Amino acid sequence: MQKKKSFYWLAAMLLIMSLFMAACSNGEEEAGAEDDKKETEGNEGGEEAAPKEGGTLVYALDAAPEGLFHWNWYGIQTDAEVLGLFDDNLITFDEELKPQPNIASWETEDNKVFTFKFKKGVKWHNGDELTVQDWVFSLETLAHPDYEGPRYTNVQTVEGAEAFRNGEADSISGLEVINDYEIKITFDKARVNNLLNLWTYPMNRSAFEGIEVADMEGSDPVRRTPIGTGPFKVNKVVSGESVELVANEDYWQGKPKLDKIIIKVVDSTAVTGALQNGDIDVVSVHPTIGKDVEAMENVDLVTAPGLSYYYVGFKLGKFDNEKKEVVEQKEKYADKKLRQAMMHSINREEWIEAFFGGYGDVVNRPVPTAHWIAADNDDLNTYPYDPEKAKEILDEAGYVDTNGDGFREDPNGDEFVVNFSHYATGNPTFESRAKALTQYWEAVGLKSTLEMIEVNQYYDMVEKDNENMEVFFGGWGYGADPDPSALWKSDQLWNYPRWVNEESDQLLEDALDVEVVGTDETKRKELYVKWQQIVNEELPMLFITELQEIYGMNKRVGGLTLDVSGFNSAHEWFVTE
């Protein structure tokens, strides 16, 4: 069974921030639950109904798409959800997030040179046959100097990409077309993750013919008349409201069972009623309404492990993006005992129950449990809620109340205040959940303040190490590629805590080094487990909860499955009435 990704950004780490920002501004699609996988059921006594040909399924989004309906330019999750229904990736991922052949298969002997072979006869929606030239066109678009999107990172490691981008070459030397269905790609050096980092979405050449790269993002093939190779074709786009998809009868995996999928925007406050009334068939569900959806007789609450988590970060230094290094160390939160005490003071189970309806799980590492490199809790400090232990640790570290006001001073006897920041959107629960964290810290004697900051300004402040940003709330999504370097190495902008640890950096480098790990995934995981143990001990951020995927699905929907790799291909979906 072919799978499509619900997190299409997984292969491109540069998309993580845009996705998280979209989640913040759109009310946050956080979730959690108990079942690892569940297939939607028909209405015949809980048994899967026989597949039915025809019919229309209504797929709801609780926020409007931005309208960038091409993988090379999209920036938010809602656009990715639309894209996943009409355009296929060359590769796919299994339930362990390992890459699998889809339209293309591959071979390599050294992790530097890869030979890819395309299936023959795969058609674009305009009738063109997909060839490797469409892939070359896409990769050269990303490497073009006029391309301003975030995906150059996914082609820059191909040999000759930098020379092409700098105008020193007319083509990318590492792309060698053998014939219409076979291509050899040479990278600048051997890496364990060359395949996972490579951009694997072609572009239809005739659709973009005559359009300059600088103008592509605003063009019809991206915004109004997008085409793909997927099971459904875009029939109509109503900006900010809906997208109508019709079956692609020439789909390479077989004609879809559905005639149409209507994607429409439903305000998050109206999701419950729309599900209850049968106005929509499939929608991502916020955990705060999970219990309500579970109680509906006509709807199944379908869940799967997620790949993202929430944390509280500390600004431990200041980053110089030009020098690509942390140039200033900050002392206020430098003592890991202080950070560990703050972790022990948080009742994470209570917090998850209160603000996520219990649909979430405590996490103790920077890798979600569902990922294959995740360290076992038995190998980690679990930091159970223990305010008395938190107080003991603070006493030992010299944070004591010296003036009798009920709050602790720092080891120098000076006033100590945890200045905590959280992003603000239209979601009224955010301030409450942030305030709850400050109350946990105050309960162990750490005076705390809370500042709610508009979300767009917030992440600008985080990224630029604004002096007013000391302790901050955030979230990260994890990729199919297990390499966390973009978020954790000391020379990376997205290492927001500005944590510098030489052993951590070396472990991350070794885990990608073919000479160290070869192709042995067990060796690679061992290095990542050691790395997680260091992060878990040092706590440059406090790990709070990992998220899961939650969807409400009308019981008339069949053939649809969900697991950590996302939904199965929509050509298998059907409705029973």
Side-chain angles (χ1 to χ4, degrees):
M1 180 180 294
Q2 298 292 335
K3 291 284 176 67
K4 77 172 184 70
K5 300 304 298 173
S6 60
F7 294 117
Y8 286 95
W9 41 275
L10 291 182
M13 291 298 283
L14 280 176
L15 307 185
I16 294 174
M17 176 51 68
S18 59
L19 174 58
F20 179 69
M21 288 287 291
C24 295
S25 60
N26 292 334
E28 290 194 347
E29 298 184 4
E30 329 146 300
E34 300 172 357
D35 300 332
D36 286 343
K37 183 176 180 179
K38 178 177 179 180
E39 184 164 337
T40 56
E41 300 173 342
N43 291 324
E44 299 182 9
E47 297 181 359
E48 176 72 14
K52 176 186 174 183
E53 300 293 330
T56 297
L57 181 146
V58 180
Y59 187 107
L61 303 172
D62 66 0
E66 187 178 3
L68 295 174
F69 298 131
H70 196 286
W71 296 113
N72 290 19
W73 287 276
Y74 90 97
I76 64 174
Q77 183 178 5
T78 48
D79 285 11
E81 290 186 67
V82 176
L83 276 162
L85 296 173
F86 76 81
D87 197 18
D88 286 351
N89 195 344
L90 294 177
I91 68 175
T92 189
F93 298 87
D94 62 20
E95 294 180 33
E96 294 183 347
L97 301 176
K98 306 293 179 61
Q100 303 294 328
N102 198 34
I103 294 174
S105 59
W106 60 89
E107 295 178 351
T108 184
E109 295 181 355
D110 58 4
N111 275 70
K112 180 178 180 180
V113 180
F114 288 73
T115 300
F116 293 86
K117 293 183 179 180
F118 279 25
K119 291 180 182 292
K120 296 181 180 180
V122 176
K123 297 290 185 67
W124 290 98
H125 296 156
N126 62 0
D128 293 347
E129 185 176 8
L130 172 69
T131 72
V132 297
Q133 297 287 3
D134 294 310
W135 193 15
V136 171
F137 180 56
S138 181
L139 295 174
E140 289 187 343
T141 297
L142 298 184
H144 195 280
D146 291 337
Y147 172 76
E148 296 182 350
R151 279 109 197 171
Y152 171 61
T153 184
N154 299 108
V155 67
Q156 68 178 354
T157 55
V158 174
E159 183 181 86
E162 184 176 355
F164 179 79
R165 189 168 181 82
N166 293 335
E168 300 166 1
D170 295 329
S171 61
I172 299 175
S173 61
L175 304 179
E176 181 185 344
V177 174
I178 299 172
N179 55 54
D180 281 350
Y181 310 102
E182 191 170 357
I183 184 173
K184 183 182 291 184
I185 297 183
T186 301
F187 292 87
D188 55 3
K189 67 177 182 179
R191 296 182 187 82
V192 174
N193 65 337
N194 272 335
L195 173 64
L196 283 172
N197 185 65
L198 181 63
W199 193 248
T200 50
Y201 294 98
M203 290 175 65
N204 181 266
R205 287 170 292 157
S206 62
F208 288 90
E209 186 175 1
I211 303 174
E212 298 294 333
V213 171
D215 300 325
M216 286 180 177
E217 182 175 330
S219 68
D220 284 354
V222 172
R223 294 184 176 271
R224 288 166 285 279
T225 56
I227 66 171
T229 58
F232 291 88
K233 300 187 290 187
V234 176
N235 188 51
K236 183 180 181 182
V237 175
V238 180
S239 181
E241 295 182 13
S242 66
V243 179
E244 180 182 277
L245 306 177
V246 296
N248 175 15
E249 296 188 2
D250 297 321
Y251 183 50
W252 63 276
Q253 294 193 84
K255 178 184 176 182
K257 295 180 174 64
L258 293 166
D259 290 331
K260 288 184 180 181
I261 295 180
I262 304 296
I263 304 169
K264 70 177 185 179
V265 178
V266 176
D267 188 273
S268 58
T269 61
V271 165
T272 303
L275 276 172
Q276 183 72 67
N277 296 334
D279 297 331
I280 58 178
D281 294 308
V282 180
V283 66
S284 178
V285 170
H286 192 279
T288 55
I289 64 170
K291 295 287 196 298
D292 294 334
V293 174
E294 276 192 284
M296 295 180 186
E297 294 184 359
N298 64 322
V299 177
D300 286 320
L301 188 72
V302 184
T303 69
L307 292 169
S308 50
Y309 58 87
Y310 281 144
Y311 66 85
V312 170
F314 300 93
K315 282 295 183 182
L316 305 176
K318 191 167 185 177
F319 189 74
D320 187 317
N321 198 34
E322 291 186 3
K323 295 181 179 179
K324 300 298 181 185
E325 64 182 36
V326 176
V327 294
E328 177 186 329
Q329 299 287 337
K330 297 187 176 182
E331 295 298 321
K332 185 169 181 178
Y333 298 95
D335 189 342
K336 74 175 182 181
K337 290 184 178 180
L338 169 62
R339 303 193 297 269
Q340 290 173 339
M342 292 175 68
M343 185 69 146
H344 276 296
S345 70
I346 302 173
N347 189 333
R348 291 179 287 173
E349 290 87 352
E350 179 183 71
W351 190 86
I352 293 167
E353 179 64 36
F355 299 104
F356 295 88
Y359 294 103
D361 299 293
V362 166
V363 65
N364 297 301
R365 51 180 135 61
V367 179
T369 303
H371 208 287
W372 64 272
I373 68 163
D376 191 279
N377 272 332
D378 291 341
D379 298 324
L380 301 170
N381 302 317
T382 56
Y383 298 102
Y385 172 59
D386 191 339
E388 293 307 313
K389 183 171 185 177
K391 292 175 183 178
E392 290 176 8
I393 295 173
L394 289 169
D395 288 342
E396 293 171 2
Y399 293 85
V400 295
D401 180 10
T402 59
N403 60 13
D405 67 351
F407 292 111
R408 299 171 184 269
E409 278 66 52
D410 70 15
N412 296 321
D414 297 326
E415 181 184 39
F416 184 85
V417 180
V418 177
N419 295 309
F420 182 48
S421 302
H422 193 295
Y423 47 81
T425 71
N427 191 321
T429 68
F430 288 5
E431 185 168 1
S432 298
R433 75 183 188 192
K435 187 65 176 177
L437 292 172
T438 63
Q439 290 171 343
Y440 288 131
W441 297 325
E442 292 205 334
V444 297
L446 296 174
K447 187 175 182 179
S448 303
T449 66
L450 171 63
E451 183 178 13
M452 301 296 295
I453 302 170
E454 193 276 326
V455 65
N456 293 316
Q457 179 187 0
Y458 181 83
Y459 270 97
D460 184 65
M461 292 174 64
V462 172
E463 190 163 290
K464 294 180 180 177
D465 299 328
N466 186 286
E467 291 298 326
N468 294 324
M469 189 71 69
E470 294 184 2
V471 184
F472 60 97
F473 189 86
W476 281 124
Y478 215 82
D481 180 0
D483 175 32
S485 297
L487 307 183
W488 284 97
K489 285 193 71 178
S490 58
D491 61 354
Q492 295 295 310
L493 174 64
W494 286 355
N495 173 7
Y496 285 157
R498 309 312 181 201
W499 182 56
V500 178
N501 185 288
E502 291 183 5
E503 186 179 2
S504 167
D505 285 350
Q506 189 62 54
L507 285 168
L508 295 180
E509 289 181 13
D510 289 347
L512 294 180
D513 192 331
V514 173
E515 294 185 2
V516 176
V517 298
T519 58
D520 190 332
E521 291 183 346
T522 300
K523 288 184 179 178
R524 194 179 182 198
K525 180 174 180 177
E526 288 174 356
L527 295 179
Y528 283 133
V529 168
K530 289 180 181 178
W531 169 75
Q532 291 168 72
Q533 289 172 328
I534 293 171
V535 179
N536 168 266
E537 170 69 21
E538 295 295 323
L539 286 185
M541 60 175 62
L542 311 181
F543 305 105
I544 308 297
T545 181
E546 58 185 359
L547 312 182
Q548 294 189 356
E549 293 290 285
I550 305 181
Y551 282 83
M553 298 186 186
N554 193 295
K555 290 185 177 180
R556 80 186 192 103
V557 176
L560 190 156
T561 60
L562 176 70
D563 60 32
V564 69
S565 68
F567 288 127
N568 60 320
S569 175
H571 84 283
E572 298 177 306
W573 303 358
F574 62 90
V575 291
T576 59
E577 59 182 57

